Amino acid sequence: MADQGLTPQWRTSARSSGGACVEVQTRPDVVLIRDSKDREGGVLSFDRATFGEFLGALKSDRLDPS
């Protein structure tokens, strides 16, 4: 049976540029992130709530870079 779009797809982040590329795959319970230059490498997995909190912190500039 053909895929017909049911398999979750990786998408490149809109913020990726200059070699700092990540790909994201969203599923009902988790968000997966990988390096687009090393697709066979490791994948980070976050529950959706934690990933949402992380994005909120990024958008509001609440992360301490030190």
Side-chain angles (χ1 to χ4, degrees):
M1 180 173 177
D3 181 336
Q4 299 182 13
L6 299 177
T7 302
Q9 299 295 310
W10 288 98
R11 61 185 171 83
T12 302
S13 170
R15 301 279 180 166
S16 292
S17 65
C21 301
V22 296
E23 294 178 326
V24 177
Q25 185 182 112
T26 56
R27 296 183 178 188
D29 54 341
V30 297
V31 176
L32 305 174
I33 300 174
R34 70 180 181 187
D35 182 347
S36 63
K37 297 178 300 305
D38 186 14
R39 291 184 172 137
E40 300 302 316
V43 174
L44 299 174
S45 176
F46 301 91
D47 67 74
R48 291 181 71 90
T50 301
F51 191 72
E53 291 173 15
F54 171 70
L55 287 181
L58 281 176
K59 291 176 183 179
S60 66
D61 201 24
R62 290 181 302 189
L63 296 180
D64 181 3
S66 57

